[in-house]
């Protein structure tokens, strides 16, 4: 190689490194919006079950994959297929075996055990909403459609550990109080529920863990990060699932996943260090 070509190559390398540093600087300066109002790190209904948390997250968000250009096609683990549901019929489930509910309007960020106790205290002492006895609250939760809320008749059973979650769109507070009341009075009570078994595709899970670092972030943050990377000299391959028919910033949160063993290590480190970016890989583990 001639001296001229050597200097030309070195100059191109220096320019490329300067542009890469500028991209890193722009990501460092990016405002990572707070996501706690959308996704508390500890949830009252999923505090002891990371995979069911993950399932409910993936049902609602877009996933942005960031890769380097390659002569080989990139792998995109189809996380929308990570969980499978199969109705297995009516089954007797003991209240003591429930680990949470799948829907709640509660704002509190507390473990389910604490939630049960607080709701039991409320529904046994509140002058306006207190229930006189166990049978009254049991009937209200499992039999009647009061206040326009249907009774809880369905449950999820997690195949990997056999934990149960009440499938509800209301009455989560009273169901939690009922579970605690059953415990306090040693009733060992149960009911027949329409049970759906939830399983996980381990191939998809391992594919993601092996090839990506995923971060849960605010959708506006994700949109801005995506724009910075698209306009950078790095020119990554960016794939969004599902297709962005709705712009990212119109959602609450998104998952941005960086390919491992790539030039994005320094950018990934920025996400690791930011408190408003949750490294989601840990949620894939049982």
């Amino acid at each position: 190689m001639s001296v001229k070509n050597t200097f030309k190559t070195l100059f191109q390398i220096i320019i490329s490194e300067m542009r890469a540093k500028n991209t890193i600087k722009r990501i460092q300066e990016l405002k990572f919006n707070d996501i706690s109002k959308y996704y508390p790190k500890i949830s009252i209904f999923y505090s002891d079950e990371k995979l069911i948390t993950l399932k409910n997250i993936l049902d609602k968000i877009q996933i942005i994959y960031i890769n380097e250009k390659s002569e080989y096609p990139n792998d995109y683990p189809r996380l929308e297929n990570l969980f499978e549901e199969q109705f297995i019929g009516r089954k007797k489930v003991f209240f003591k075996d429930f680990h949470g509910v799948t829907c709640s309007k509660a704002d509190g960020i507390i473990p389910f055990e604490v939630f049960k106790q607080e709701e039991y205290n409320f529904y046994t002492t509140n002058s306006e909403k207190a229930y006189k006895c166990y049978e009254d609250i049991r009937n209200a939760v499992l039999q009647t459609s009061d206040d326009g809320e249907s009774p809880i008749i369905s449950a999820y059973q997690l195949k990997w550990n056999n934990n149960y979650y009440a499938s509800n769109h209301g009455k989560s507070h009273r169901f939690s109080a009922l579970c605690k009341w059953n415990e306090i009075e040693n009733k060992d009570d149960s009911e027949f529920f329409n049970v759906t078994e939830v399983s996980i595709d381990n191939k998809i899970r391992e594919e993601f863990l092996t090839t990506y670092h995923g971060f849960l972030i605010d959708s506006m943050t994700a949109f801005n990060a995506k724009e910075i990377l698209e306009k950078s000299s790095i020119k990554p391959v960016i794939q969004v699932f599902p297709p962005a028919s709705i712009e990212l910033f119109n959602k609450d949160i998104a998952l941005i996943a960086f390919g491992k063993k790539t030039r994005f290590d320094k950018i990934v480190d920025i996400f690791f260090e930011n408190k408003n970016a949750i490294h989601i890989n840990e949620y894939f583990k049982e």
Side-chain angles (χ1 to χ4, degrees):
M1 183 182 291
S2 66
V3 173
K4 181 179 179 181
N5 287 338
T6 299
F7 276 108
K8 183 178 180 180
T9 301
L10 287 173
F11 179 76
Q12 290 174 340
I13 292 173
I14 292 170
I15 293 298
S16 177
E17 289 183 350
M18 288 177 62
R19 288 174 176 171
K21 287 181 180 179
N22 182 58
T23 299
I24 292 169
K25 184 173 184 293
R26 292 188 66 192
I27 295 292
Q28 285 175 326
E29 294 173 347
L30 178 66
K31 179 184 178 182
F32 281 72
N33 295 325
D34 182 14
I35 65 171
S36 60
K37 62 180 178 179
Y38 306 126
Y39 177 70
K41 291 183 180 180
I42 301 173
S43 166
I44 59 169
F45 12 95
Y46 312 131
S47 60
D48 61 345
E49 183 48 67
K50 292 180 179 178
L51 283 176
I52 200 68
T53 306
L54 180 63
K55 179 183 183 301
N56 283 275
I57 291 171
L58 295 177
D59 283 345
K60 303 172 183 176
I61 67 174
Q62 288 180 321
I63 301 163
I64 310 155
Y65 288 102
I66 312 292
N67 280 292
E68 288 183 320
K69 287 186 177 179
S70 171
E71 59 182 300
Y72 304 104
N74 292 306
D75 294 323
Y76 300 109
R78 300 307 297 263
L79 295 183
E80 68 271 23
N81 299 324
L82 181 62
F83 293 93
E84 297 179 347
E85 297 183 10
Q86 181 179 0
F87 179 67
I88 60 176
R90 283 179 60 77
K91 185 176 179 180
K92 184 169 76 170
V93 184
F94 288 89
F95 298 153
K96 65 184 179 183
D97 291 332
F98 280 95
H99 285 248
V101 293
T102 60
C103 179
S104 175
K105 297 177 182 178
D107 295 324
I109 306 172
I110 54 178
F112 185 59
E113 285 300 319
V114 178
F115 186 52
K116 287 193 297 183
Q117 182 66 60
E118 290 191 353
E119 295 308 311
Y120 170 79
N121 293 343
F122 177 81
Y123 283 108
T124 55
T125 60
N126 184 281
S127 59
E128 295 182 358
K129 297 186 177 181
Y131 287 88
K132 294 180 180 179
C133 65
Y134 176 87
E135 292 301 326
D136 283 352
I137 194 171
R138 190 187 195 284
N139 183 64
V141 171
L142 303 177
Q143 304 297 330
T144 64
S145 297
D146 58 330
D147 300 328
E149 294 181 340
S150 300
I152 296 176
I153 59 174
S154 301
Y156 285 107
Q157 181 181 8
L158 310 186
K159 189 173 182 179
W160 52 88
N161 59 15
N162 288 322
N163 286 347
Y164 288 91
Y165 286 77
S167 177
N168 69 297
H169 293 284
K171 300 192 176 183
S172 58
H173 295 254
R174 284 177 287 176
F175 179 80
S176 302
L178 172 65
C179 290
K180 189 63 180 181
W181 208 323
N182 167 73
E183 177 186 325
I184 290 173
E185 296 194 1
N186 296 313
K187 289 184 175 294
D188 201 30
D189 196 5
S190 63
E191 182 59 84
F192 280 89
F193 293 87
N194 298 324
V195 177
T196 297
E197 184 180 71
V198 180
S199 60
I200 187 168
D201 187 319
N202 286 312
K203 182 179 179 181
I204 294 176
R205 173 167 63 177
E206 291 308 312
E207 185 181 10
F208 183 87
L209 289 174
T210 300
T211 54
Y212 288 96
H213 281 300
F215 296 92
L216 194 67
I217 59 176
D218 170 79
S219 290
M220 178 61 82
T221 305
F223 175 80
N224 291 334
K226 177 173 169 285
E227 282 217 316
I228 291 171
L229 292 169
E230 283 177 333
K231 296 176 181 177
S232 73
S233 61
I234 299 174
K235 298 190 181 301
V237 177
I238 300 177
Q239 182 70 48
V240 180
F241 293 102
S245 56
I246 300 176
E247 291 292 345
L248 287 168
F249 54 81
N250 286 335
K251 296 283 188 176
D252 295 330
I253 54 177
L255 177 63
I256 188 166
F258 292 93
K260 293 183 177 180
K261 299 179 182 178
T262 63
R263 293 177 297 164
F264 306 128
D265 287 351
K266 292 183 179 179
I267 293 175
V268 170
D269 286 342
I270 296 170
F271 280 77
F272 268 118
E273 293 166 3
N274 197 290
K275 66 179 182 179
N276 289 323
I278 307 301
H279 188 231
I280 204 169
N281 291 50
E282 67 177 281
Y283 288 85
F284 282 71
K285 301 173 184 178
E286 294 179 14

